[in-house]
């Protein structure tokens, strides 16, 4: 099929490259000519394991191209995916939908033959219906424009794998009983669904929009739940890691997303939770608003807990030398959007600490956003002369740290493992003051 993917950020680039990989002819569209030029030359402007090869292979095969022209996109494609960002609004909790509106307004006037528009961005329920009306009101093809919503569930760090091996495909359509758009998308995704038993769920537009928002809210809730329990564990000398194993063994609960620690961040969970809360508020659903607010509050409390633990262990933050290991919002990513790690590093510095940071991939992005921290060349460099070492992102490199190596460079043997990724007995046996989250 001939596909346009509009918005070549993280999601769009991955989707475009993977759709080419499964045999479609794909045109990636972006209004930033610099980004288009980079992608067209095979350079991916973000870190994501495996994506470079998929982009380069498909550029070479001729199935993948990039452009900044909506005219070209309308002329080329029969299916137009919308993959632009929906960040948190600058003035409130809701989602900023201006990029979606702009994309629809730029594309629609050029749609002069039947086409299918498929939204993938995460949006407040009700957005798709409004965008469909907006597109049809200006497109020369008018009612021959079909509309569908097909949320994306990929995780950063596993984007290529998750796109090529989805757990499920959800397709929201306007007329579930007519099946035109659903059939087209079933065919488009058939290389992904034929081998494995992948559910292909056809729903209404509203259900599809909500399915994504609810999935992220549930994941956020699971993390905040275990973080709330970690506080109870700390107050009672119980061990949250053992507890997570014990409850996670129940298939109804599941062990994944029960890692207690610094909490969730990134470009998705926090802003989706807040946009959901804003939408629930608009709908007058007070209990839902309160529920989502508590999940968010518990998450933000984790950052304060780590800052307080650092103050306590150092006596005072003023002048304390703090080594921060990890600034990315999670391992295997260079993404620092709403990163709990960078937030904590910044707050410690603002409260008087001398903060040296190291992250295997996110240094450039962090330096750009927060230039006043001390950026080190390596883990050991960051830990030189430290009064306390903080592990804030669970990179493998930090999981493998050995007490002997670290104590050769630090001033004191104190460590706060805010991602519970070290083995407490071996650090304590080596004479370290070790603190995790919710573990004795
Ligand atoms: C999340 C969802 O997992 C994806 O399904 C979804 O498609 C994506 O958002 C999106 O909306 O685009 P992602 O933001 O890549 O994916 O990151 P996650 O792996 O969900 O991690 C989110 C945060 O939760 C990270 O800061 C991570 O460190 C934290 N986390 C995760 C925990 O604190 N504890 C856990 O047990 C798991």
């Amino acid at each position: 099929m001939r596909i346009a993917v509009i918005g070549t950020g993280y999601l769009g680039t991955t989707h475009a490259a993977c759709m080419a990989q499964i045999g479609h002819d794909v045109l990636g569209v972006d209004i930033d000519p610099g980004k288009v030029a980079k992608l067209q030359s095979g350079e991916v402007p973000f870190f994501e394991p495996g994506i470079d090869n998929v982009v380069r292979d498909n550029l070479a095969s001729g199935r993948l191209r990039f452009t900044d022209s909506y005219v070209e996109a309308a002329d080329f494609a029969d299916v137009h995916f919308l993959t632009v960002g929906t960040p948190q609004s600058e003035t409130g909790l809701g989602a900023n939908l201006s990029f979606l509106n702009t994309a629809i307004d730029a594309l629609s006037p050029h749609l002069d033959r039947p086409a299918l528009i498929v939204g993938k961005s995460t949006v407040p329920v009700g957005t798709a219906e409004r965008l469909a009306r907006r597109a049809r009101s200006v497109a020369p093809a008018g009612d021959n424009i079909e509309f569908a919503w097909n949320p994306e569930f990929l995780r950063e760090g596993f984007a290529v794998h998750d796109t090529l091996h989805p757990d499920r495909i959800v397709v929201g359509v306007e007329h579930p009983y007519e099946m035109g758009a659903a059939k087209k998308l079933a065919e488009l995704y058939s290389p992904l669904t034929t081998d494995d038993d992948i559910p292909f769920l056809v729903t209404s537009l509203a259900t599809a929009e909500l399915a994504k928002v609810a999935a992220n809210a549930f994941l956020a809730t699971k993390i905040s739940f275990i973080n709330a329990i970690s506080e109870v564990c700390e107050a009672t000398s119980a061990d949250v890691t053992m507890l997570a194993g014990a409850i996670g063994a129940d298939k109804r609960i599941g062990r994944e997303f029960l890692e207690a620690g610094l909490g969730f961040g990134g470009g998705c969970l926090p802003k989706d939770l807040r946009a959901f809360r804003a939408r629930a508020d608009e709908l007058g659903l007070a209990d839902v608003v309160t529920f989502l607010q508590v999940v968010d509050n518990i998450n933000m409390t984790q950052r304060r807990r780590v800052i307080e633990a650092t103050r306590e262990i150092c006596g005072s933050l003023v002048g304390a030398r703090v080594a921060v290991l990890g600034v990315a919002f999670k391992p295997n990513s260079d993404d620092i959007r709403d990163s709990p790690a960078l937030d904590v590093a910044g707050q410690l510095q603002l409260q008087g600490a001398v903060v040296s940071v190291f992250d295997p991939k996110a240094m450039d992005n962090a330096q750009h956003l927060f230039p006043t921290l001390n950026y080190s060349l390596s883990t050991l460099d960051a830990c030189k002369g430290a009064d306390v070492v903080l592990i804030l992102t669970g990179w493998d490199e930090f999981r493998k740290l050995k007490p002997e190596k670290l104590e050769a460079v630090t001033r004191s043997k104190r460590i706060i493992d805010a991602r519970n990724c070290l083995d407490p007995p071996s650090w304590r046996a080596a004479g370290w003051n070790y603190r995790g989250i919710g573990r004795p």
Side-chain angles (χ1 to χ4, degrees):
M1 286 188 187
R2 288 156 75 102
I3 296 174
V5 179
I6 297 167
T8 58
Y10 191 85
L11 163 59
T13 302
T14 307
H15 189 64
C18 289
M19 290 304 101
Q21 178 75 19
I22 61 172
H24 300 298
D25 287 322
V26 183
L27 186 60
V29 185
D30 204 289
I31 51 169
D32 178 347
K35 205 190 255 183
V36 167
K38 268 192 182 169
L39 285 164
Q40 189 58 43
S41 71
E43 195 186 324
V44 178
F46 53 85
F47 170 74
E48 174 64 35
I51 188 72
D52 305 67
N53 287 344
V54 186
V55 168
R56 278 183 214 138
D57 288 355
N58 287 286
L59 283 170
S61 75
R63 281 199 303 273
L64 178 64
R65 287 184 299 119
F66 294 91
T67 182
D68 60 1
S69 164
Y70 277 97
V71 177
E72 195 183 342
D75 184 50
F76 171 81
D78 301 308
V79 181
H80 298 269
F81 283 100
L82 303 172
T83 54
V84 295
T86 52
Q88 185 172 335
S89 143
E90 277 168 19
T91 52
L93 294 183
N96 171 359
L97 300 176
S98 64
F99 301 107
L100 268 177
N101 293 337
T102 306
I104 285 286
D105 293 349
L107 174 70
S108 307
H110 307 295
L111 295 176
D112 51 14
R113 63 171 200 274
L116 170 61
I117 300 179
V118 188
K120 285 194 87 64
S121 315
T122 305
V123 291
V125 57
T127 305
E129 202 184 313
R130 183 179 59 73
L131 290 177
R133 278 200 304 274
R134 193 167 174 140
R136 285 190 192 113
S137 69
V138 286
D143 286 346
N144 288 317
I145 303 300
E146 285 182 293
F147 218 86
W149 213 263
N150 165 223
E152 179 55 63
F153 298 99
L154 67 78
R155 299 161 296 168
E156 293 187 22
F158 301 91
V160 173
H161 173 273
D162 288 354
T163 305
L164 295 176
H165 305 280
D167 290 335
R168 74 299 211 185
I169 293 173
V170 177
V171 169
V173 293
E174 291 172 285
H175 311 291
Y177 304 108
E178 288 176 16
M179 299 305 249
K183 260 197 196 138
K184 216 170 276 172
L185 286 170
E187 190 189 332
L188 189 145
Y189 285 124
S190 61
L192 304 180
T193 51
T194 40
D195 290 350
D196 308 309
D197 208 6
I198 306 298
F200 185 87
L201 305 167
V202 181
T203 69
S204 67
L205 289 176
T207 305
E209 289 167 309
L210 259 182
K212 170 61 191 274
V213 173
N216 275 1
F218 185 80
L219 293 172
T221 302
K222 223 176 156 185
I223 298 168
S224 280
F225 173 81
I226 201 66
N227 281 331
I229 297 296
S230 79
E231 256 196 294
V232 182
C233 286
E234 265 173 31
T236 55
S237 299
D239 183 333
V240 76
T241 309
M242 303 290 284
L243 178 144
I247 64 172
D250 183 330
K251 285 197 190 73
R252 295 169 303 171
I253 297 174
R255 178 64 180 82
E256 277 185 76
F257 271 67
L258 287 180
E259 301 304 338
L262 194 51
F264 59 81
C268 304
L269 259 48
K271 65 105 176 154
D272 289 350
L273 192 69
R274 289 172 192 158
F276 193 15
R277 185 169 133 198
R279 188 74 183 103
D281 201 17
E282 281 170 11
L283 295 166
L285 306 172
D287 284 348
V288 181
V289 173
T290 306
F291 177 78
L292 298 171
Q293 193 170 355
V294 171
V295 172
D296 204 347
N297 288 350
I298 292 172
N299 192 52
M300 298 311 277
T301 298
Q302 295 308 101
R303 302 177 189 188
R304 279 200 298 278
R305 282 173 71 189
V306 172
I307 292 166
E308 285 321 309
T310 312
R311 193 193 315 279
E312 211 179 287
I313 218 169
C314 294
S316 159
L317 284 179
V318 180
R321 297 171 66 120
V322 180
V324 162
L325 301 183
V327 285
F329 86 105
K330 69 173 187 180
N332 300 315
S333 170
D334 66 352
D335 198 341
I336 46 139
R337 285 176 296 167
D338 205 342
S339 165
L342 191 56
D343 184 5
V344 166
Q347 288 195 50
L348 288 170
Q349 195 208 33
L350 292 171
Q351 293 184 39
V354 181
V355 181
S356 296
V357 307
F358 176 71
D359 187 285
K361 290 286 176 199
M363 296 295 269
D364 287 351
N365 286 343
Q367 214 155 356
H368 192 69
L369 188 75
F370 217 120
T372 55
L373 298 169
N374 302 314
Y375 289 90
S376 306
L377 296 173
S378 65
T379 298
L380 290 184
D381 190 25
C383 294
K384 242 179 234 158
D387 295 311
V388 61
V389 175
L390 267 52
I391 299 187
L392 302 185
T393 311
W395 284 96
D396 256 359
E397 175 176 338
F398 306 146
R399 289 177 190 278
K400 290 181 191 148
L401 278 174
K402 295 276 173 274
E404 319 78 73
K405 274 222 159 157
L406 225 50
E407 67 192 53
V409 297
T410 59
R411 193 150 71 175
S412 304
K413 297 208 277 185
R414 302 165 176 154
I415 191 158
I416 298 178
D417 175 11
R419 292 291 178 184
N420 285 350
C421 57
L422 301 177
D423 173 48
S426 53
W427 286 77
R428 291 199 178 114
W432 281 72
N433 178 351
Y434 170 95
R435 285 209 201 176
I437 304 286
R439 18 168 45 176

